[in-house]
């Protein structure tokens, strides 16, 4: 049986509590495939909100880029020219000037993101030339200066977030110094200031040409925005057939041209989420829920941001998994270790079986499940209605997996989602209401209707509780996902 | 229980339950006194200082687990089964004009005049050779050894320890073949989690050896990580043994073959793509190996990934005989049940492959027939309760005679022994 959870996007992967498996979403470089995209999009199904601390985290990632790419500094070679008052062209040249790079800082304003890199230049020699002769050799030194690059975010045709330089780079600092003392005989003093300014701008351009492409390319990834994907993958392949899920996650530029906005001093980057399915033969025919209009996500102030997943995307994601067969048979249950001891007490035939007898469950859904966000303050719950499903309970006897009994159930489950410091998103069952219906004997007579709920509830709870759903980036400490309006917010 | 204090009762039980009869013990019945050590195998000193057969229990317990069956040349069936209540190996032999005789072959020994209950008889396999001699191997749970027994024309058994007398536990998943008087056994070493092979020459000497489980996979063997040899099933082609077995570590069906010049070679038959080495599923549990009339090996086995019965004939691709898929009217969708566990394969004289196996979802036993590479019948067997450890042989070309251990309805996991004579399904 195949489980290709790793190809699912967050909207679907969040719902793996019912489908089993723990996947890492392949968002490293935007795993865009050639498959047909999903056909229904929630235009703001996934929204990234980045605060000041998140920018600081991104800065640290860019620091690593800098230290790996330019550990020995950046050698610059260039030239700047000016025409003096007498009409003579004077140029300043530098050759293999070693620029040492410091920490990277990111700042956000309404125009975009400013990326500043600390710059230091040990005393280096310049050449001032006029009329093709060397006029003098001043020296330059820079300490504690900042090279600033300005970037805006957009998207390419595949929905990937891309950063682009939007303004002329600049080099500013308190200790930018040129020693013109050897040039007084050749260059008029008033020209020194103009030449100095020209030199800083030219050095900024020169450095930006070398550093810019790599830093700008790394910016979306450092911000955690390289999440675009378009995949079609089988979620359940078995003896009955196969089911397929399509997931698209793509940034879309707004009418103003950007794929972002600034709200309350925080960077907000929405992604459209598309989810579709090709049905597995194990599920009855059903229509996926429509994408419903949502209110815009509420952006709250604060240093740390969040990943927001819309209720609509979650609901459709769960239905997509269901329709693709991910809940059929033992696809969602095989990885759970259940034993006879997991069942509730009060059922006489249990006494005949060793407590350690392994159990497995086969689920056969009858109707679409539903999911909603509980907006009650502090509760932070997802409310999942499984819909009616038939459950076959198998036990291992004499080396064989044999059906012990069957019953129909319908359960309402309140689930909280937590994220560990290591970034592991997992579910915890807060409340479970199970309604057992029709029973069918297997090797054992089934529990009476009066006690069936009590016998089976621990089994279902064990199936759903503490499921590891998704590996997210590590974070400062454990957090909990909470409903926020029409969105589920996963703190960064 | 003291044998002396219950000598009369034991002697009476022995007379009822065993074909063996009390015999003289030593030179003189009175002097010297009877000692257990001087009695023939299977006998101890009873009342009046006479050797008597070790008594079977007054009633048999739950039979049916670890059942193997074979037919004598006249069609009578011999069944070996494990009494899970008393932990004994029980052998039943059909009689022409009366009820089957019952022998407790192993599971109780005499030590210093006391009957000691031991665990013997699981993982048994029973074979009737060309001369109608009954052979059996089984696992001695207390000793952790593989035992071999041969029944003499008189009905008495001689029992030998084949392997496992050291610290290793050996002898589970035993399979037996006898060809021209040479005995071949394949079994598992539970300590080493590997496969072993034993051969008994005509002079009665045993040689045992480990069989390599690696079939050329990269990185095999994994230090401390190998786990193979379950469901061993042996046959002999041209005096050369072949053993099919399950490699649990890889979820593969494998075959170990001894070459004419002595070395063994292990190959993967299913569960792995031959070209890429990619895992294609967890297959090979419950493997049953049999020979066609042309003495080509065929195998039936369980596909745990798909919950299906698979069949493989040498030189052909694996065939899914029964996938357990069915349409569920109530739900309006398709479902499936695991089918193919506890499968047993036999060929008739025309080369038809007949498989009997468990449908663990519908709790039934099923019969499938494959002929000429085509599935010609898959059907539940009327009146058969769900169970395991099925074994059978052809009784003529159109009847199957055998036995198995169905779980007692409403009392599982208790089992009973069921014997059957059914037609080959033609549907």
């Amino acid at each position: 049986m195949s489980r290709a959870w790793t190809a699912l996007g967050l909207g679907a992967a969040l719902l793996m509590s019912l489908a089993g498996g723990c996947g890492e979403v392949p968002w490293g470089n935007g795993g865009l495939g050639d498959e047909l995209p999903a056909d229904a999009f929630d235009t703001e199904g996934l929204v990234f909100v980045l605060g000041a601390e998140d920018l600081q985290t991104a800065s640290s990632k860019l620091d690593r880029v800098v230290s790996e790419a330019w550990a020995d500094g950046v050698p610059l070679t260039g030239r700047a020219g000016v025409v003096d008052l007498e009409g003579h062209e004077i140029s300043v040249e530098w050759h293999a000037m070693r620029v040492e790079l410091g920490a990277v800082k990111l700042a956000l304003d309404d125009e975009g993101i400013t990326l500043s890199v600390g710059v230091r230049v040990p005393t280096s020699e310049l050449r001032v030339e006029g009329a093709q002769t060397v006029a003098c050799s001043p020296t330059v030194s820079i300490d504690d200066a900042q090279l600033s690059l300005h970037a805006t975010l957009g998207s390419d045709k595949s929905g990937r977030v891309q950063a682009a330089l939007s303004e002329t780079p600049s080099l500013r600092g308190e200790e930018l110094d040129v020693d013109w003392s050897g040039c007084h005989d050749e260059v008029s003093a008033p020209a020194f200031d103009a030449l100095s300014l020209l030199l800083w701008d030219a050095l900024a351009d020169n450095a930006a040409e070398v550093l810019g492409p790599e830093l700008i390319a790394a910016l979306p990834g450092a911000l955690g925005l390289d999440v675009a994907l378009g995949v079609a993958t089988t979620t359940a392949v078995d003896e009955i057939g196969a089911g397929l899920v399509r997931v698209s996650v793509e940034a879309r530029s707004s009418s103003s041209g950007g794929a972002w906005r600034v709200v309350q001093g925080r960077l907000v980057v929405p992604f459209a989420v598309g989810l579709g399915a090709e049905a597995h033969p194990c599920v009855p025919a059903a229509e996926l829920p429509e994408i419903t209009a949502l209110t815009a996500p509420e952006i709250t102030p604060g240093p740390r941001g969040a990943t927001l997943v819309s209720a609509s995307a979650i609901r459709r994601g769960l239905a997509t998994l269901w329709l693709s067969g991910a809940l059929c048979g033992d696809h969602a249950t095989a990885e759970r270790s259940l034993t006879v001891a997991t069942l509730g007490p009060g059922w006489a035939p249990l006494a005949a079986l060793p407590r350690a007898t392994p159990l497995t469950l086969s689920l056969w859904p009858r109707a679409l499940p539903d999911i909603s966000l509980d907006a009650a303050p502090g509760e932070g719950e997802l409310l999942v209605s499984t819909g009616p499903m038939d459950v076959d309970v198998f036990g291992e006897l004499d080396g064989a997996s044999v059906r012990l009994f069957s019953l129909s159930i319908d359960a309402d489950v309140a689930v909280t989602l937590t994220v560990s410091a290591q970034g592991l998103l997992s579910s915890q069952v807060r409340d479970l209401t199970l309604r057992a219906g029709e029973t069918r004997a297997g090797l054992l007579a089934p529990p009476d209707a009066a006690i069936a709920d009590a016998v089976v509830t621990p089994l279902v709870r064990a199936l759903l509780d503490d499921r590891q759903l998704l590996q997210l980036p590590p974070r400062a400490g454990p957090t909990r996902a909470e409903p926020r309006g029409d969105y589920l917010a996963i703190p960064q | 229980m003291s044998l002396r204090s219950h000598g009369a009762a034991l002697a009476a039980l022995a007379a009822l339950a065993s074909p063996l009869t009390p015999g003289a013990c030593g030179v003189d019945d009175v002097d010297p006194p009877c000692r257990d050590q001087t009695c023939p195998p299977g006998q101890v000193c009873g009342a009046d200082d006479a050797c008597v057969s070790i008594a079977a229990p007054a009633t048999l317990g739950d039979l049916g687990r670890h059942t193997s069956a074979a037919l004598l040349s006249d069609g009578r069936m011999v069944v070996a089964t494990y009494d899970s209540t008393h932990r004994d190996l029980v052998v039943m032999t059909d009689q022409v004009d009366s009820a089957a005789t019952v022998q407790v072959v192993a599971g109780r020994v005499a030590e210093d005049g006391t009957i000691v209950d031991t665990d013997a008889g699981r993982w048994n396999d029973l074979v009737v050779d060309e001369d109608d001699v009954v052979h059996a191997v089984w696992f001695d749970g207390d000793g952790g050894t593989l035992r071999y027994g041969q029944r003499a024309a008189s009905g008495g058994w001689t029992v030998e320890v084949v392997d496992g007398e050291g610290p290793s536990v050996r002898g589970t998943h035993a399979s037996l073949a006898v060809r021209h008087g040479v005995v071949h056994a394949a079994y598992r070493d539970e300590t080493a989690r590997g496969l072993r092979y034993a051969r008994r020459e005509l002079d009665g000497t045993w040689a045992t050896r480990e069989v390599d489980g690696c079939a050329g996979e990269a990185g095999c063997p994994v230090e401390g990580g190998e786990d193979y040899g379950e469901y061993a099933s042996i046959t002999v082609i041209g005096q050369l043994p072949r053993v099919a077995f399950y490699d649990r570590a890889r979820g593969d069906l494998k075959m170990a073959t001894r070459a004419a010049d002595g070395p063994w070679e292990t190959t993967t038959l299913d569960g792995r793509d031959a070209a890429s080495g990619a895992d294609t599923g967890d297959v090979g549990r419950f493997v049953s190996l049999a020979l066609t009339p042309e003495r080509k090996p065929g195998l039936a086995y369980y596909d745990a990934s798909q919950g299906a019965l698979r069949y493989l004939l040498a030189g052909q691709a694996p065939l899914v005989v029964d996938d357990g898929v069915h349409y569920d009217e109530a739900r309006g969708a398709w479902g499936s049940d695991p089918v193919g566990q506890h499968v047993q394969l036999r060929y008739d004289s025309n080369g038809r492959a007949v498989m009997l196996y468990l449908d663990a979802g519908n709790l039934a036993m099923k019969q499938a027939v494959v002929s000429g590479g085509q599935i010609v019948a898959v059907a539940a067997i009327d009146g058969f309760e769900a169970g395991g450890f099925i074994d059978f042989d052809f009784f003529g070309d159109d009847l199957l005679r055998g036995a198995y251990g169905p779980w007692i309805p409403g009392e599982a996991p208790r089992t009973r022994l069921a014997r059957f004579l059914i037609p080959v399904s033609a549907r």
Side-chain angles (χ1 to χ4, degrees):
Chain A
M1 296 178 183
S2 168
R3 288 185 180 78
W5 298 121
T6 53
L8 296 179
L10 180 60
L14 276 176
L15 305 164
M16 289 180 189
S17 58
L18 296 175
C22 177
E24 290 191 20
V25 178
W27 286 351
N29 291 309
L32 299 170
D34 296 330
E35 296 83 2
L36 289 172
D39 52 4
F41 280 87
D42 180 349
T43 53
E44 295 207 359
L46 182 62
V47 179
F48 286 84
V49 180
L50 302 177
E53 287 188 15
D54 307 313
L55 294 184
Q56 197 170 340
T57 302
S59 301
S60 300
K61 294 177 181 174
L62 292 174
D63 275 340
R64 287 195 289 275
V65 172
V66 167
S67 62
E68 288 171 9
W70 300 289
D72 297 327
V74 181
L76 295 182
T77 298
R79 175 180 177 278
V82 67
V83 178
D84 69 10
L85 294 174
E86 298 171 356
H88 300 132
E89 184 176 330
I90 301 172
S91 70
V92 181
E93 294 183 4
W94 54 96
H95 180 72
M97 177 192 291
R98 193 168 68 85
V99 177
E100 298 172 359
L101 302 177
V104 179
K105 292 179 183 173
L106 293 175
L108 181 67
D109 58 39
D110 290 344
E111 302 302 319
I113 298 170
T114 300
L115 190 157
S116 302
V117 186
V119 170
R120 178 177 178 275
V121 177
T123 302
S124 302
E125 194 173 84
L126 303 172
R127 293 203 324 170
V128 175
E129 294 183 354
Q132 300 180 347
T133 59
V134 175
C136 60
S137 298
T139 58
V140 62
S141 64
I142 302 173
D143 199 9
D144 198 23
Q146 297 288 318
L147 172 68
S148 296
L149 310 174
H150 303 278
T152 58
L153 301 178
S155 61
D156 67 9
K157 62 185 178 184
S158 297
R160 282 180 287 222
V161 170
Q162 290 193 324
L165 288 175
S166 61
E167 295 177 20
T168 305
S170 63
L171 183 63
R172 297 288 182 268
E174 296 296 323
E175 298 182 41
L176 304 176
D177 186 48
V178 184
D179 181 0
W180 298 106
S181 57
C183 298
H184 287 288
D185 295 340
E186 313 298 333
V187 182
S188 60
F192 290 152
D193 290 343
L195 273 176
S196 294
L197 292 175
L198 185 69
L199 177 63
W200 307 138
D201 289 345
L203 282 174
D205 285 342
N206 194 184
E209 285 173 7
V210 176
L211 303 175
E214 195 148 346
L215 284 177
I216 291 299
L219 182 58
L223 292 169
L225 300 177
D226 53 346
V227 300
L229 61 83
V231 294
T233 183
T234 52
T235 54
V237 181
D238 51 38
E239 64 278 12
I240 302 172
L244 181 146
V245 165
R246 288 199 184 92
V247 183
S248 296
V249 178
E250 55 188 61
R252 292 180 174 178
S253 297
S254 66
S255 56
S256 60
W260 58 282
R261 57 184 182 262
V262 176
V263 179
Q264 303 224 23
R266 311 176 94 191
L267 178 64
V268 177
V269 184
F271 287 81
V273 175
L275 292 158
E278 287 186 9
H280 191 289
C282 68
V283 294
E287 294 291 329
L288 285 174
E290 295 293 323
I291 299 291
T292 53
L294 300 170
T295 56
E298 177 189 354
I299 308 300
T300 55
R304 297 200 70 83
T307 302
L308 306 174
V309 188
S310 77
S312 183
I314 293 172
R315 187 174 296 114
R316 193 171 169 93
L318 177 61
T320 299
L321 286 174
W322 181 93
L323 202 60
S324 68
L327 305 188
C328 286
D330 66 353
H331 289 287
T333 61
E335 292 168 1
R336 286 266 132 166
S337 295
L338 306 171
T339 67
V340 163
T342 314
L343 288 166
W347 182 36
L350 274 187
L353 299 176
R355 301 274 290 166
T357 300
L359 294 183
T360 55
L361 303 185
S362 286
L363 309 180
W364 304 106
R366 288 175 177 262
L368 271 172
D370 195 15
I371 194 166
S372 60
L373 305 183
D374 178 10
E379 293 297 322
E381 290 177 348
L382 285 173
L383 301 178
V384 182
S385 298
T386 63
M389 62 172 62
D390 297 340
V391 181
D392 294 332
V393 180
F394 285 82
E396 189 174 310
L397 284 180
D398 294 320
S401 181
V402 186
R403 189 173 62 82
L404 300 179
F405 65 96
S406 303
L407 76 168
S408 298
I409 64 166
D410 192 349
D412 295 328
V413 191
V415 176
T416 56
L417 300 176
T418 58
V419 188
S420 70
Q422 292 72 35
L424 195 61
L425 179 69
S426 58
S427 65
Q428 290 77 40
V429 174
R430 282 174 57 93
D431 193 26
L432 171 64
T433 304
L434 186 141
R435 295 171 293 278
E438 180 184 344
T439 59
R440 185 163 67 102
L443 202 58
L444 306 176
D448 292 338
I451 63 166
D453 296 359
V455 169
V456 179
T457 293
L459 206 60
V460 177
R461 178 180 284 273
L463 198 63
L464 299 175
D465 204 14
D466 200 24
R467 294 207 75 129
Q468 298 177 351
L469 311 177
L470 187 65
Q471 181 64 56
L472 300 171
R475 51 210 60 225
T479 57
R480 192 168 73 174
E482 292 194 338
R484 191 182 298 171
D486 285 337
Y487 284 81
L488 182 73
I490 305 170
Q492 297 283 35
Chain B
M1 178 177 71
S2 164
L3 179 65
R4 296 282 179 186
S5 61
H6 296 82
L10 285 169
L13 282 172
L16 285 172
S18 170
L20 299 180
T21 55
C25 180
V27 177
D28 189 316
D29 283 350
V30 179
D31 186 27
C34 178
R35 298 172 59 190
D36 294 336
Q37 294 88 332
T38 63
C39 291
Q43 296 187 32
V44 293
C45 297
D48 304 326
D49 275 344
C51 289
V52 297
S53 294
I54 293 175
T59 57
L60 294 173
D62 288 344
L63 305 180
R65 284 197 166 83
H66 301 284
T67 293
S68 56
L71 302 187
L72 296 165
S73 58
D74 61 4
R76 287 182 295 133
M77 184 165 63
V78 186
V79 177
T81 190
Y82 178 63
D83 181 337
S84 54
T85 306
H86 302 104
R87 307 189 307 160
D88 294 336
L89 174 64
V90 175
V91 174
M92 299 176 168
T93 307
D94 287 349
Q95 299 301 306
V96 177
D97 298 321
S98 61
T101 59
V102 178
Q103 294 174 284
V104 177
V105 175
R108 45 196 59 228
V109 297
E111 290 182 0
D112 299 328
T114 301
I115 295 293
V116 177
D117 184 19
T118 66
D119 181 14
R122 285 180 288 149
W123 306 111
N124 69 66
D125 195 14
L126 182 142
V127 165
V128 174
D129 70 13
E130 303 94 326
D131 300 320
D132 259 4
V133 176
V134 178
H135 308 253
V137 287
W138 64 88
F139 177 59
D140 172 9
D142 285 4
T145 60
L146 178 70
R147 303 256 174 160
Y148 163 78
Q150 186 179 128
R151 190 168 73 180
S154 64
W157 286 81
T158 55
V159 177
E160 301 165 7
V161 177
V162 179
D163 197 359
E165 286 192 303
S168 294
V169 175
R170 293 171 176 167
T172 57
H173 296 270
S175 179
L176 178 66
V178 180
R179 186 88 173 149
H180 304 312
V182 177
V183 178
H184 308 259
Y187 51 99
R188 179 167 149 95
D189 183 333
E190 290 292 341
T191 304
R193 296 190 299 183
L195 177 69
R196 291 185 69 81
Y197 164 76
R199 176 184 171 109
R200 185 181 188 270
E201 303 296 345
L202 294 175
D203 63 4
T205 57
W206 283 97
T208 65
R209 59 163 295 155
E210 175 190 352
V211 178
D212 188 6
C214 292
E217 302 96 334
C220 188
V222 176
E223 181 71 28
E226 295 300 325
D227 189 356
Y228 63 97
E230 290 174 275
Y231 309 106
S233 186
I234 192 170
T235 191
V236 177
I237 301 175
Q239 279 299 343
L240 296 176
R242 296 184 182 211
V243 183
F245 64 92
Y246 174 60
D247 181 342
R248 183 175 290 271
R250 295 173 181 78
D252 290 347
L253 171 66
K254 291 184 170 180
M255 176 90 87
T257 305
R258 187 180 180 192
D261 55 353
W264 287 74
E265 183 182 7
T266 299
T267 54
T268 300
L269 300 180
D270 199 1
R272 198 158 299 276
D273 183 83
S276 68
D279 185 5
T280 58
D282 183 0
V283 300
R285 300 182 201 203
F286 301 100
V287 60
S288 175
L289 170 63
L291 296 179
T292 67
E294 296 80 28
R295 302 196 68 73
K296 287 174 64 177
L299 305 105
Y301 51 99
Y302 181 58
D303 179 343
S305 294
Q306 303 290 334
L309 172 65
R310 288 167 81 89
Y311 167 73
L312 176 61
L313 180 62
Q316 297 183 5
L319 177 69
V320 176
V321 176
D322 188 352
D323 59 12
V325 174
H326 58 85
Y327 189 73
D328 185 339
E329 295 283 354
R331 287 194 312 116
W334 292 85
S336 69
D337 290 309
V339 292
Q341 297 171 104
H342 285 284
V343 63
Q344 193 67 257
L345 167 69
R346 293 287 182 267
Y347 290 95
D348 72 4
S349 60
N350 298 313
R352 280 188 307 175
V354 176
M355 288 156 262
L356 303 184
Y357 56 96
L358 170 66
D359 179 341
N362 291 306
L363 297 173
M365 301 303 291
K366 296 180 84 172
Q367 179 183 159
V369 180
V370 174
S371 180
Q374 301 296 314
I375 302 166
V376 297
V378 173
I381 307 171
D382 291 340
F384 272 47
E385 294 154 351
F389 306 105
I390 197 162
D391 198 4
F392 68 97
D393 211 338
F394 275 90
F395 187 70
D397 257 359
D398 295 317
L399 292 173
L400 308 174
R401 170 168 276 180
Y404 76 113
W407 293 291
I408 299 173
E411 296 183 50
R414 292 186 60 201
T415 58
R416 64 184 182 84
L417 181 69
R419 305 149 65 90
F420 59 85
L421 180 64
I422 57 173
V424 175
S425 180
R427 282 175 286 175

